[in-house]
Amino acid sequence: NGYTCECDNPVLSNNSPTHVWIGKRSATKQTWPSRLDSLAAGGLAAGVLPRQAILNECAEEAGVDESYLQDRIRASSAVSYTGFNDDMWGLK
């Protein structure tokens, strides 16, 4: 078992979310090619706080500079995965 962090990007209008920007996996990805995905996500290593982990993942996977996100990124919820098979993840 382990923990992950994910970044999904709500689009705001007058400080209210109107929709969510979702990424699409590359057609050449080994796992779940061409499927919809988070903007950035990754494992949460021991000793790394979730905020720093997601800042690192956003820079690595989405090319979003950490300095841009420092005052913009916010924790909003938690998702619990029950497991997965070759086709999809199961959410609690």
Side-chain angles (χ1 to χ4, degrees), residues 5 44-56:
C5 56
L44 185 57
V48 178
L49 295 175
R51 178 178 177 77
Q52 187 60 53
I54 199 58
L55 289 171
N56 295 346

Side-chain angles (χ1 to χ4, degrees), residues 1 7 19 30 34 59 70 84:
N1 288 340
C7 181
H19 54 284
Q30 184 177 8
S34 299
Q70 280 293 342
F84 70 95

Side-chain angles (χ1 to χ4, degrees), residues 5 13 20 22 24 27 35-36 45 50 53 61 69 73-75 77:
C5 56
S13 176
V20 177
I22 301 289
K24 184 174 182 182
R35 300 257 177 118
L36 298 180
E61 295 184 5
L69 292 175
I73 200 162
R74 288 173 180 58
S77 64

Side-chain angles (χ1 to χ4, degrees), residues 13-47:
S13 176
N14 296 322
N15 289 326
S16 296
T18 58
H19 54 284
V20 177
W21 179 22
I22 301 289
K24 184 174 182 182
R25 296 173 71 83
S26 168
T28 60
K29 286 291 278 187
Q30 184 177 8
T31 53
W32 303 295
S34 299
R35 300 257 177 118
L36 298 180
D37 203 356
S38 299
L39 176 67
L44 185 57

